[in-house]
Amino acid sequence: QKMMEIPKLKVIKQNLDYLNLDLEKDLQRLDEANQVLLRKIQEKEEAIQSLEREIALSPGRANEREELNHIVFEKEEALRNLESETAKLIKSNKILSRNVVELQKKISRRFKNIDNDKEDLKQMLAELKVRLQKSTESCAKQEKELLKIEGNYQSLHQLCEDQAHYIKKYQEILRQMEKEKEMLLLEKEIFKAQNNSSQIVKPGSILVETIQSNMEKTIIKKEKKIFWYKHFQCGVFMVMIFIRLLGYVLFHLQYINPDLLVDVLPMVMSRDTLKRLREVLLPFLTLEVEEVLPH
């Protein structure tokens, strides 16, 4: 905005200079006109004096004298008007000169402020350059750190892949070892069956019978385990449901409706059963306070 105001102020200054020049020219013209009028007035005065002399010499020219007096009076009024106009113009010229001086002072101040603003802008630009350099350096450092992190990530990824590969190999080795163990166990069982068998049969039939018996035993054991496990799960589930329902009932009886049993039991049981319950529960519900009470 300040940079936009500078050309406007320059234009205003030029206009004021032109106005001062025009006023000076007008004043010069007025001075010249005043001088011309003064000369004419002097000539008229000389003519009047000559006429007065002639009138004094010739009393018959009274009318001409009156006309001349009237003309002189009009000329004097015109001179007075010119003098008043010249005074007004002089005052306006003084006011304009003062305004011009004030504007020049303001313009000089504005130029000084603009110079100060330019210096401030230069300082700001220098600070911004320093900040940009620092930010570029920090960005370069961050890029280096990112490259390091990417390298570490790649190395870790490779290590993870290697570990996964080794784990797969280890699992395959374990499977092979389990298969070998199973084969050894089968061979031991076959050897035991061959030693324990009293009948003379072919080794293939003994192996088949032992394998079938072992498989049946393992299947029966697994079925029993599954059966008891399922029953255990059902029992635990039922116990948990019963405990939760019991907790809900106790909470309801303690905080919501303590008289629930008193309200519900007559609707569910008959009178005979209620009497029996009362007879059974009365000794447990009554308090023995005779020993505590004063006699």
Side-chain angles (χ1 to χ4, degrees):
Q1 291 178 357
K2 291 180 179 179
M3 296 296 288
M4 293 293 289
E5 287 178 358
I6 290 165
K8 291 181 180 179
L9 292 169
K10 288 180 179 178
V11 172
I12 291 163
K13 188 178 179 183
Q14 289 177 0
N15 292 323
L16 290 169
D17 292 330
Y18 289 133
L19 289 169
N20 285 322
L21 291 170
D22 293 331
L23 286 169
E24 288 177 356
K25 288 178 182 179
D26 292 330
L27 288 170
Q28 287 177 0
R29 289 174 185 173
L30 288 169
D31 291 331
E32 290 175 357
N34 286 323
Q35 289 176 2
V36 171
L37 287 169
L38 287 169
R39 288 174 185 173
K40 287 180 179 180
I41 288 162
Q42 287 176 0
E43 290 176 356
K44 292 288 183 181
E45 286 178 353
E46 290 176 355
I48 288 162
Q49 287 176 1
S50 64
L51 287 169
E52 285 178 353
R53 289 173 186 173
E54 289 178 356
I55 288 162
L57 294 171
S58 60
R61 296 179 179 177
N63 292 322
E64 292 179 359
R65 186 177 179 183
E66 288 178 358
E67 289 177 358
L68 288 169
N69 288 324
H70 184 68
I71 291 162
V72 169
F73 182 73
E74 288 178 355
K75 295 290 182 180
E76 287 177 354
E77 285 182 353
L79 282 169
R80 288 173 185 172
N81 291 322
L82 285 170
E83 287 176 355
S84 63
E85 287 178 358
T86 52
K88 288 178 181 179
L89 288 169
I90 290 162
K91 287 180 181 179
S92 64
N93 192 6
K94 288 179 180 179
I95 291 162
L96 286 169
S97 62
R98 288 176 185 174
N99 292 324
V100 168
V101 172
E102 289 177 356
L103 284 169
Q104 287 176 354
K105 289 179 180 179
K106 287 180 180 179
I107 289 162
S108 63
R109 288 175 185 172
R110 290 288 176 86
F111 279 116
K112 288 179 181 178
N113 291 322
I114 288 160
D115 294 329
N116 293 322
D117 292 331
K118 285 180 179 178
E119 291 177 356
D120 294 331
L121 287 169
K122 287 179 181 178
Q123 290 178 358
M124 290 288 286
L125 287 169
E127 290 177 356
L128 288 169
K129 286 179 180 178
V130 173
R131 288 180 183 176
L132 282 169
Q133 288 178 357
K134 289 180 180 179
S135 62
T136 50
E137 289 176 357
S138 64
C139 287
K141 289 179 181 178
Q142 287 178 0
E143 286 177 356
K144 289 179 181 178
E145 289 177 356
L146 284 169
L147 290 170
K148 288 180 181 178
I149 291 163
E150 286 178 356
N152 293 323
Y153 176 75
Q154 288 177 359
S155 62
L156 287 169
H157 186 67
Q158 288 178 357
L159 287 170
C160 290
E161 288 180 352
D162 294 333
Q163 286 179 359
H165 183 67
Y166 291 138
I167 288 162
K168 286 180 181 178
K169 286 184 177 180
Y170 182 69
Q171 287 176 354
E172 289 177 357
I173 291 162
L174 287 172
R175 287 172 186 171
Q176 288 178 0
M177 289 174 72
E178 286 177 355
K179 286 179 181 179
E180 289 177 356
K181 284 181 180 179
E182 288 177 356
M183 291 296 290
L184 289 169
L185 289 169
L186 287 169
E187 287 177 357
K188 285 180 181 179
E189 288 177 356
I190 290 163
F191 184 72
K192 286 179 182 179
Q194 286 177 358
N195 290 324
N196 292 323
S197 64
S198 59
Q199 296 177 358
I200 300 166
V201 291
K202 293 180 180 180
S205 61
I206 294 164
L207 180 63
V208 170
E209 287 176 358
T210 53
I211 289 165
Q212 285 179 356
S213 63
N214 290 323
M215 289 293 289
E216 287 175 356
K217 288 178 182 179
T218 53
I219 289 163
I220 290 162
K221 286 180 181 179
K222 285 181 180 179
E223 286 178 353
K224 285 181 179 179
K225 286 180 181 178
I226 291 163
F227 177 77
W228 288 111
Y229 182 71
K230 286 181 179 179
H231 279 78
F232 179 73
Q233 281 184 346
C234 292
V236 170
F237 184 69
M238 293 295 288
V239 169
M240 292 293 289
I241 290 168
F242 179 73
I243 290 165
R244 187 171 286 181
L245 290 171
L246 186 64
Y248 289 151
V249 170
L250 291 171
F251 180 78
H252 189 81
L253 289 171
Q254 190 171 1
Y255 295 104
I256 297 169
N257 189 6
D259 298 328
L260 181 66
L261 294 173
V262 177
D263 296 332
V264 172
L265 287 173
M267 296 171 68
V268 176
M269 295 181 181
S270 62
R271 291 181 180 178
D272 295 331
T273 53
L274 285 170
K275 285 180 181 179
R276 290 174 186 173
L277 272 172
R278 284 175 186 172
E279 289 175 357
V280 171
L281 295 172
L282 271 173
F284 296 103
L285 296 173
T286 54
L287 294 172
E288 294 180 359
V289 293
E290 292 179 357
E291 295 179 357
V292 180
L293 292 171
H295 295 287

